Amino acid sequence: MTVKFDNVTPADMATPLLAANHSSDGLLMQELSLTGKISLRGDFANSAVRDAVQQSMSLPVEIDANTFDRVGDGTVFWLGPDERMIYSDIGSVDKHISDLRGKLPGGCSVVDVSDYYTVIRLSGEKVRAVLASGTPLDLHRSVFSKGQCAQTRFGTASVLLSVHDDIPVMDLQVRWSFAEYVWKYLCKVADYC
Amino acid sequence: MFIIQCPWCGDRDQTEFSCHGEAHIARPKNTESMTDEQWGDYVFFRSNPKGMHRERWVHAHGCRRWFNALRDTATDEIFATYKVGETPPEIPESSSANTSTGNASGDRS
């Protein structure tokens, strides 16, 4: 499926694939509308850092490696020992960022990366087969199940995969400029899986 | 497929990583008083053993953290990976390191 540029509303323009979607037997793929994304770096062993994020966004930041946690409309992903990705409603990102910057101690970094990445949601029984065509990550449900996330590669693009349901429903976060490449790759292999 | 254990993420495929040469090379503190030869040795010259080698790796497509690995350059077997700052593990006796020349024990640090 190719990305079409006619009949595009301003809301669709906010994402690189213009809210593209694909459906075939056992597979649904949809680019999600723009989500607020905050890149947070700091020493999460420091209770002052944990408390600041808890107070600002009600989110825990001390989570296991390669897992994510969702509280309300906020989601926090483990990206590295000192790095987290936080999703929130796009309308409240500015407020969250100023709130975090006000509360966090020195040595932390809070950056709005909402329009640096886009998220493609994949659901259906063929999700694992389609993703396995491009990533070396072990996607078997016994080792990659609900609540887990992993940064890996899909083709040559660095992506963040997360499992939201064991149906399965998975989200693939990719950099804006790689989105079309990944989308075309996914659509192509969907025909063969 | 070649599996490497990231100290943070666990077992991952080789293609997620990249290697950046010999580990445990500390920048000299007396840079003003060094001769050109000494400085050139620090900047350009690395040991090139056949056998055990301590290397810097980065989990480029994953958590993007740097770590060290103990790898046999002859067999490509990785004996251990460890975080930056951790004590390097001992070289296994059964390895082919006994045949190596050079300083595979990483004594340049």
Side-chain angles (χ1 to χ4, degrees):
Chain A
M1 181 181 175
T2 53
V3 177
K4 294 194 176 72
F5 288 89
D6 43 353
N7 300 323
V8 173
T9 66
D12 296 332
M13 290 294 287
T15 55
L17 301 171
L18 314 175
N21 63 75
H22 168 103
S23 97
S24 58
D25 189 26
L27 180 70
L28 269 173
M29 299 193 294
Q30 166 87 49
E31 187 193 29
L32 301 184
S33 56
L34 193 66
T35 318
K37 305 177 194 74
I38 300 167
S39 165
L40 173 65
R41 299 196 67 169
D43 176 11
F44 300 116
N46 181 351
S47 61
V49 175
R50 296 200 302 267
D51 293 347
V53 184
Q54 187 68 44
Q55 287 168 19
S56 307
M57 302 195 67
S58 307
L59 285 169
V61 285
E62 206 179 28
I63 53 179
D64 289 341
N66 292 300
T67 65
F68 67 94
D69 204 351
R70 179 186 287 165
V71 178
D73 68 346
T75 312
V76 56
F77 296 87
W78 186 97
L79 298 190
D82 62 354
E83 187 173 14
R84 302 287 183 269
M85 172 70 74
I86 297 175
Y87 285 4
S88 78
D89 180 61
I90 186 69
S92 47
V93 167
D94 289 346
K95 178 186 155 296
H96 286 318
I97 286 179
S98 57
D99 213 16
L100 282 167
R101 284 183 178 156
K103 289 195 170 80
L104 281 165
C108 295
S109 145
V110 181
V111 181
D112 182 356
V113 291
S114 301
D115 50 8
Y116 189 68
Y117 299 97
T118 191
V119 180
I120 299 168
R121 171 153 292 182
L122 302 95
S123 54
E125 61 194 35
K126 286 187 181 167
V127 168
R128 286 190 162 89
V130 167
L131 287 176
S133 67
T135 174
L137 188 75
D138 189 350
L139 297 167
H140 193 270
R141 60 175 65 81
S142 63
V143 287
F144 195 58
S145 56
K146 187 177 177 181
Q148 283 181 280
C149 66
Q151 292 173 96
T152 180
R153 64 173 183 86
F154 186 83
T156 55
S158 292
V159 298
L160 169 67
L161 293 176
S162 51
V163 190
H164 293 264
D165 204 314
D166 285 328
I167 294 172
V169 177
M170 294 200 198
D171 278 2
L172 182 153
Q173 175 197 280
V174 61
R175 289 192 173 86
W176 192 284
S177 54
F178 276 94
E180 192 174 350
Y181 161 75
V182 167
W183 180 257
K184 286 180 171 171
Y185 195 139
L186 287 168
C187 291
K188 187 76 179 171
V189 296
D191 295 339
Y192 298 100
C193 291
Chain B
M1 206 156 82
F2 188 26
I3 301 293
I4 296 172
Q5 187 184 46
C6 168
W8 300 102
C9 302
D11 289 347
R12 294 293 186 91
D13 185 69
Q14 168 196 11
T15 56
E16 291 185 11
F17 298 85
S18 59
C19 178
H20 291 262
E22 189 175 359
H24 305 297
I25 296 174
R27 184 185 170 88
K29 288 186 174 135
N30 57 334
T31 51
E32 289 93 351
S33 58
M34 284 167 72
T35 64
D36 285 353
E37 192 178 357
Q38 287 171 323
W39 182 248
D41 188 45
Y42 159 68
V43 174
F44 298 112
F45 287 87
R46 299 290 178 264
S47 65
N48 185 23
K50 178 186 179 187
M52 298 300 265
H53 194 217
R54 296 183 196 278
E55 296 170 331
R56 296 184 307 146
W57 286 73
V58 62
H59 193 183
H61 282 294
C63 61
R64 298 188 291 124
R65 275 341 94 144
W66 289 84
F67 62 93
N68 298 318
L70 182 60
R71 183 175 71 95
D72 190 321
T73 58
T75 64
D76 232 7
E77 184 178 355
I78 293 182
F79 286 86
T81 54
Y82 52 102
K83 294 172 186 170
V84 171
E86 283 183 351
T87 310
E90 294 297 315
I91 292 177
E93 284 185 12
S94 59
S95 74
S96 62
N98 300 334
T99 61
S100 72
T101 54
N103 49 7
S105 60
D107 55 5
R108 289 180 68 169
S109 62

